[in-house]
Amino acid sequence: MKIIYLDNNATTRIAEEVVEEMIPYLTEYYGNASSMHRFGGQIRHKIDRSRQQVADLLGCNADEIIFTSGGTESDNAAIRGVLECRNQKLHIVTTRVEHPAIRGTCRQLQKQGHYLTELPVDNFGRLDMDELSKAITDDTAMVSVMYANNETGVVFPIEEIARIVKNKGCVFHTDAVQAAGKIPINLNKLPADLLSISGHKLHGPKGVGVLYIRRGTHLNPLITGGHQEWGRRAGTENVPAIIGLGKACELAQKNMYEENNRVKEMRDRLENVLTERCPDNRINGDRQSRLPNTTNISFEYIEGEAILLMLDRLGIAASSGSACTSGSLEPSHVLRAMGVPFTAVHGSIRFSLSRYNTDEEIDYVIRELPGMVERLREISPFTKTAERSTR
């Protein structure tokens, strides 16, 4: 069965060019990059090249890039590292719609004695800038706000947020895992102190990520015990993955135009036709400011998991939210924070596309999904309840 993969915010297909770049460093050039001999030294040169490729995508200096095991480690390193350096300040500001890597870390730190403010969002998933400014106090150590939401695709006004935070004298971190490679990022203009990305979200390998640390930003390393990454992240480098990530960043920069045009056109067509053919639906999130590949649609009065199972039987892979919370029976914390009604929050499906998707695949989903929604509503107890309440 051919798989139609529309869950690219969970992970992406690794690009063939990335695999080709990695293979020699899994087989022929297997030395340790920290070794003094030439066999290891030639690998160090390749790591430096990958670091520059990442820096070129993000618009920063290569020596501000630290390689990690992924976005979750980068987020933890940023938050915990800053708080250890600023141990006289106990307050953290974030939002109610962050990825579990931020949300879970901040809540754990709250149990350990830190103070936590989780800013609300409106019905479109947008932040109130005045509330952000008022939330920052003299005791605030740092602010962490995601660049783009993984469930709805909503893109936050990150430059404005960063300016507010910096004017208050705080450290600012942004989780850009979903944004990197999909929309332009220029850290020479964006006054963020710390930024996280992950390789497997932009057609690179799993198990590798980046923490950008602006020059002059102080934080204690999360992982100690070695001199790697200038002492800011110990451990033998995952050379093949780092090289793959560098190539993926190079390709992302090259394909950014396609991401923001052809992919967006497919997303819009999928969204428009489904909302036209499936009554009682709603688009979750700010349609004017979001990632070009993402749509989150609620089909009222049915369970999203039932839709996903039926789609899966036809070889269509989609999602009901974050892959890091799959298996949970709780409705999305993002949609709840946005005030999505009970009749819709359980029936929400996220479609996230990539440059590897085709118009033919979108046609197939459009052809099959409306009938599924109709059949599920015919047997749904939620539909019957809604009918009784309107009589």
Side-chain angles (χ1 to χ4, degrees), residues 61-341:
N61 300 302
D63 63 358
E64 297 174 305
I65 297 298
I66 299 300
F67 291 113
T68 68
S69 66
T72 297
E73 183 193 327
S74 296
D75 288 342
N76 272 264
I79 293 171
R80 296 178 189 277
V82 166
L83 292 176
E84 285 188 17
C85 279
R86 311 190 89 189
N87 55 13
Q88 299 303 312
K89 296 193 174 187
L90 299 175
H91 185 220
I92 313 163
V93 177
T94 186
T95 79
R96 294 181 186 173
V97 295
E98 296 296 312
H99 186 274
I102 295 292
R103 193 165 176 254
T105 300
C106 290
R107 290 188 172 190
Q108 184 184 63
L109 289 165
Q110 184 181 31
K111 293 177 182 177
Q112 296 171 358
H114 289 274
Y115 303 104
L116 177 62
T117 297
E118 293 182 337
L119 296 169
V121 294
D122 66 13
N123 292 340
F124 295 97
R126 300 173 302 202
L127 278 177
D128 184 314
M129 296 299 107
D130 288 335
E131 286 193 29
L132 168 65
S133 183
K134 291 174 184 176
I136 302 170
T137 69
D138 292 339
D139 192 39
T140 304
M142 74 179 302
V143 177
S144 181
V145 177
M146 63 187 354
Y147 209 118
N149 188 266
N150 50 298
E151 294 192 29
T152 63
V154 170
V155 177
F156 288 106
I158 215 70
E159 290 188 21
E160 182 182 356
I161 292 169
R163 284 195 296 270
I164 291 171
V165 175
K166 297 311 297 176
N167 286 340
K168 294 275 190 170
C170 290
V171 175
F172 178 61
H173 166 257
T174 182
D175 178 335
V177 164
Q178 291 297 339
K182 297 172 186 169
I183 56 177
I185 297 174
N186 188 346
L187 285 162
N188 285 324
K189 295 181 178 179
L190 170 64
D193 301 296
L194 301 152
L195 178 144
S196 306
I197 73 170
S198 182
H200 74 106
K201 304 293 189 179
L202 43 76
H203 304 289
K206 296 176 180 64
V208 65
V210 158
L211 178 61
Y212 158 80
I213 308 173
R214 184 176 293 277
R215 290 174 179 172
T217 301
H218 299 289
L219 74 163
N220 289 346
L222 180 68
I223 299 176
T224 58
H227 64 275
Q228 293 88 357
E229 301 298 292
W230 301 288
R232 291 185 285 187
R233 200 276 186 179
T236 302
E237 296 94 341
N238 184 357
V239 175
I242 288 171
I243 289 168
L245 174 57
K247 185 64 176 179
C249 287
E250 179 186 282
L251 292 171
Q253 194 168 22
K254 176 183 175 183
N255 293 304
M256 191 85 68
Y257 180 83
E258 181 181 7
E259 185 81 35
N260 284 276
N261 289 275
R262 190 182 71 84
V263 173
K264 181 178 182 296
E265 287 175 4
M266 288 192 294
R267 188 275 312 273
D268 289 347
R269 185 163 69 88
L270 173 67
E271 180 179 275
N272 292 336
V273 176
L274 288 181
T275 54
E276 178 185 335
R277 296 184 183 176
C278 302
D280 296 322
N281 66 74
R282 55 179 287 153
I283 304 300
N284 299 311
D286 184 355
R287 299 179 75 170
Q288 304 305 312
S289 181
R290 58 175 170 165
L291 297 173
N293 78 317
T294 306
T295 179
N296 189 303
I297 310 175
S298 287
F299 302 98
E300 293 196 272
Y301 313 122
I302 54 178
E303 289 285 348
E305 287 77 7
I307 300 175
L308 293 178
L309 288 171
M310 294 179 77
L311 289 171
D312 186 56
R313 288 174 191 151
L314 296 176
I316 302 167
S319 171
S320 58
S322 170
C324 294
T325 57
S326 64
S328 171
L329 295 177
E330 289 295 315
S332 161
H333 73 279
V334 173
L335 300 186
R336 282 186 290 138
M338 291 166 57
V340 175

Side-chain angles (χ1 to χ4, degrees), residues 17-64:
E17 300 94 326
V18 170
V19 175
E20 291 173 4
E21 197 87 359
M22 292 172 64
I23 285 174
Y25 297 88
L26 290 163
T27 55
E28 186 177 356
Y29 303 110
Y30 52 83
N32 189 320
S34 297
S35 299
M36 294 294 292
H37 47 68
R38 188 182 305 170
F39 189 63
Q42 65 184 345
I43 297 169
R44 171 60 56 193
H45 172 73
K46 192 69 175 180
I47 289 176
D48 291 342
R49 181 169 175 266
S50 296
R51 201 183 305 275
Q52 186 61 58
Q53 289 170 314
V54 177
D56 289 343
L57 177 66
L58 299 179
C60 64
N61 300 302
D63 63 358
E64 297 174 305

